């Protein structure tokens, strides 16, 4: 008989490990269960004997890992009777909040930094009918405002300071462990507010504590050089980077992430915008995997540390790709030479044939 169990979403999948009840109304779009793709070509280009896996979180319903946390946050908000949710966002949280709010039939208010959000993310928030408040300020200013306004207004914050967000996001670590059958040696991940690195460590630790796996990975968090408070050891007032999703100077999970670093014997490092964009292009060109700039920071950083030997040969490495490349078409087209670099020809057989021969 032909049968494949329908995948309903990560809350259903991990019900016994998440704070839900049997009668909880689950707000889901089928998030999670993302591919773990082993890189074929890049390790050879690095001339290093390493095993690199990509956890392709861009394949979640709204195109980023935020959906893992949002299904939990919105499910609990609805369970607790909330009629509206609110977040500050560099883009992906607003897209996810907007989608899950419309699914639940409640209102999403999103605060985004004017002019600093990738086009795809803005399109999503608008399309799902969120109330989009563009502020003349950056993410950190928006986050501060959200915290203050939520004290006096009946809205539930769905940023990663909402503990249900991290509960949902820890399931990415479960999936990795189940698929590899053991812990990777290193887990490399982009860091903005540092909620996701914290959530992954929670997930790894939960399976470790329950004896499902014997070891846990070394957690390595990478930031963009212009926006790297964990490297500076202090908040950054005017963060700047092409990787807008991690353009954050005041990480909300500051203490938690330092604990992850200590507990896992890991480290933080930074990548320049150029190195980030090169890694994004390399993934797209050499492996067929398209992620947004911030996401490529994990592989960019891993490659830096593989080259220096800080991540030694023989290692099994997982890099999280946090968001889909289609989120930020402007940056993608720009770094592929711009629309001016397209080959324009007459609509004739001769022109097509000679263009093919020119590039064969
Ligand atoms: C939110 C986000 C991050 C940063 O995650 P944190 O939990 O804030 O550290 C990285 N990349 C993308 C694409 C994101 O949307």
């Amino acid at each position: 008989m032909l049968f494949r169990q329908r995948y309903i979403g990560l809350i259903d999948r991990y019900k016994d490990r998440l704070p839900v009840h049997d009668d909880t109304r689950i707000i889901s779009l089928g998030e999670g269960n993302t591919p773990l793709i082993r890189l074929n070509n890049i390790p050879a280009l690095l001339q290093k004997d390493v095993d690199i896996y990509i956890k392709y979180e861009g394949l979640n319903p709204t195109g980023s890992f935020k959906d893992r946390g949002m299904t939990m946050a919105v499910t609990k908000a609805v369970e607790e009777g909330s009629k509206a949710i609110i977040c500050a966002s560099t883009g992906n949280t607003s897209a996810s909040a907007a989608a899950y709010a419309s699914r639940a039939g409640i209102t999403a208010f999103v605060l985004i930094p004017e002019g600093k959000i990738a086009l795809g993310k803005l399109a999503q928030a608008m399309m799902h009918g969120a109330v989009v408040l563009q502020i003349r300020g950056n993410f950190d200013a928006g986050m501060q405002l959200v915290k203050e306004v939520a004290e006096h207004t009946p809205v539930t914050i769905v940023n990663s300071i909402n503990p249900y967000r991290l509960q949902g996001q820890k399931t990415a670590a479960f999936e990795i462990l189940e698929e590899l059958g053991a812990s990777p040696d290193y887990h490399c991940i982009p860091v903005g507010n540092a909620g996701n690195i914290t959530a992954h460590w929670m997930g790894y630790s939960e399976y470790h504590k329950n004896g499902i796996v014997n070891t846990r990975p070394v957690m390595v968090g990478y930031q963009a050089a212009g926006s790297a408070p964990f490297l500076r050891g202090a908040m950054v007032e005017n963060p700047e980077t092409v990787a807008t999703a991690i353009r954050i100077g005041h990480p909300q999970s500051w203490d938690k992430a330092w604990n992850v670093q200590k507990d896992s014997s890991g480290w933080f490092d930074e990548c320049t915008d150029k190195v980030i964009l090169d890694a994004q292009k390399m993934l797209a060109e050499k492996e067929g995997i398209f992620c947004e700039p911030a996401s490529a920071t994990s592989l960019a950083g891993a490659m830096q540390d593989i080259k220096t030997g800080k991540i030694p040969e023989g290692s099994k490495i997982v890099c999280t790709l946090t968001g889909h490349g289609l989120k930020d078409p402007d940056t993608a087209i720009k770094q592929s030479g711009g629309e001016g670099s397209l080959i324009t020809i007459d609509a004739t057989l001769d022109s097509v044939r000679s263009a093919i021969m020119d590039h064969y």
Side-chain angles (χ1 to χ4, degrees), residues 45-74:
L45 291 169
L46 295 173
Q47 297 181 314
K48 295 283 189 183
D49 172 26
V50 284
D51 223 359
I52 307 176
Y53 291 84
I54 291 298
K55 183 66 168 163
Y56 195 13
E57 291 288 277
L59 293 194
N60 276 294
T62 77
S64 85
F65 76 83
K66 299 298 198 301
D67 295 342
R68 286 185 189 272
M70 205 56 71
T71 185
M72 269 307 303
V74 174

Side-chain angles (χ1 to χ4, degrees), residues 52-55 184-191 197 200 204 217-222 267 295 297-303 305-306 311 316-322:
I52 307 176
Y53 291 84
I54 291 298
K55 183 66 168 163
D185 300 310
Y186 295 86
H187 188 121
C188 300
I189 189 164
V191 170
I197 193 170
H200 276 78
Y204 283 125
V218 172
M219 300 297 294
V220 190
Y222 296 106
W267 63 88
S295 308
T297 308
S298 58
L299 181 70
M303 289 195 298
D305 285 333
I306 289 166
I311 294 179
K316 186 175 285 188
I317 305 153
V318 171
C319 293
T320 295
L321 291 193
T322 44

Side-chain angles (χ1 to χ4, degrees), residues 63-66 90-93 121 160 165-166 169 190-197 245-246 248 292 294-295 321-324:
S64 85
F65 76 83
K66 299 298 198 301
T90 59
N92 282 329
T93 304
K121 305 175 188 181
S160 54
R165 277 277 309 274
L166 302 194
Q169 286 168 217
V191 170
N193 274 309
N196 212 22
I197 193 170
I246 50 173
I248 290 162
E292 66 171 285
S295 308
L321 291 193
T322 44
H324 201 285

Side-chain angles (χ1 to χ4, degrees), residues 209-233:
K209 196 169 146 222
N210 284 285
I212 300 168
V213 287
N214 302 323
T215 58
R216 295 180 290 180
V218 172
M219 300 297 294
V220 190
Y222 296 106
Q223 301 212 280
S227 179
F230 285 101
L231 272 294
R232 307 287 99 81

